């Protein structure tokens, strides 16, 4: 019953914007310790992109600071990643992650391709 479903990925031009959403089912985000986004580019290692704690303070990967914004909406059980000024190196499969007290839950991923 615990599921995370990402949406909003697709093809976008360099310099463009995209908004990713993660819908949680069977999970109360109010009980989550950390909500975050993770990505893996083709042929490269996976990396954390952004995370937000219950206190609402966000943290970002240095390469996306000033361009990406993570937010949460407990009422809608969603976590959002607003991506602006996209670059080709942002191309990756993006995953939503929720850290609970005893386990973590992952989404299936959504592909973002930044190319002209």
């Amino acid at each position: 019953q615990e599921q995370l479903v990402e949406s909003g990925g697709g093809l976008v031009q360099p310099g463009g914007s995209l908004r990713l959403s993660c819908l949680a089912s069977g999970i109360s985000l109010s009980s989550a310790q950390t909500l975050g986004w993770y990505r893996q580019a083709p042929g490269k290692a996976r990396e954390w992109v952004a995370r937000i704690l219950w206190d609402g303070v966000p943290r970002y990967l240095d390469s996306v600071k000033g361009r990406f914004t993570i937010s949460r909406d407990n009422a809608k059980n969603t976590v959002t990643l607003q991506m602006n000024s996209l670059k080709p190196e942002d191309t990756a499969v993006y995953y939503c992650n929720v850290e609970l007290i005893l386990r973590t839950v992952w989404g299936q991923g959504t592909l973002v391709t930044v190319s002209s």
Side-chain angles (χ1 to χ4, degrees):
Q1 287 287 88
E2 295 181 335
Q3 296 184 52
L4 299 175
V5 180
E6 302 94 336
S7 62
L11 176 64
V12 66
Q13 299 75 29
S17 298
L18 204 61
R19 188 178 184 87
L20 304 183
S21 295
C22 173
L23 175 62
S25 299
I27 300 173
S28 174
L29 295 185
S30 64
S31 66
Q33 297 186 309
T34 303
L35 310 176
W37 287 92
Y38 194 70
R39 72 184 182 187
Q40 185 167 26
K44 298 182 180 180
R46 65 178 62 181
E47 61 186 354
W48 284 102
V49 177
R51 65 191 68 184
I52 187 168
L53 305 181
W54 186 241
D55 60 8
V57 179
R59 296 191 227 165
Y60 301 97
L61 179 69
D62 286 345
S63 63
V64 309
K65 287 181 179 178
R67 299 189 298 119
F68 290 12
T69 302
I70 185 172
S71 62
R72 66 185 181 193
D73 188 332
N74 287 347
K76 297 180 180 179
N77 287 305
T78 59
V79 182
T80 299
L81 184 67
Q82 177 66 46
M83 305 184 294
N84 299 323
S85 301
L86 285 163
K87 304 175 180 179
E89 56 261 41
D90 293 319
T91 295
V93 175
Y94 284 72
Y95 299 90
C96 182
N97 173 266
V98 175
E99 296 181 359
L100 304 175
I101 296 176
L102 300 178
R103 64 180 296 194
T104 61
V105 182
W106 292 87
Q108 84 288 354
T110 184
L111 176 63
V112 172
T113 301
V114 184
S115 176
S116 60

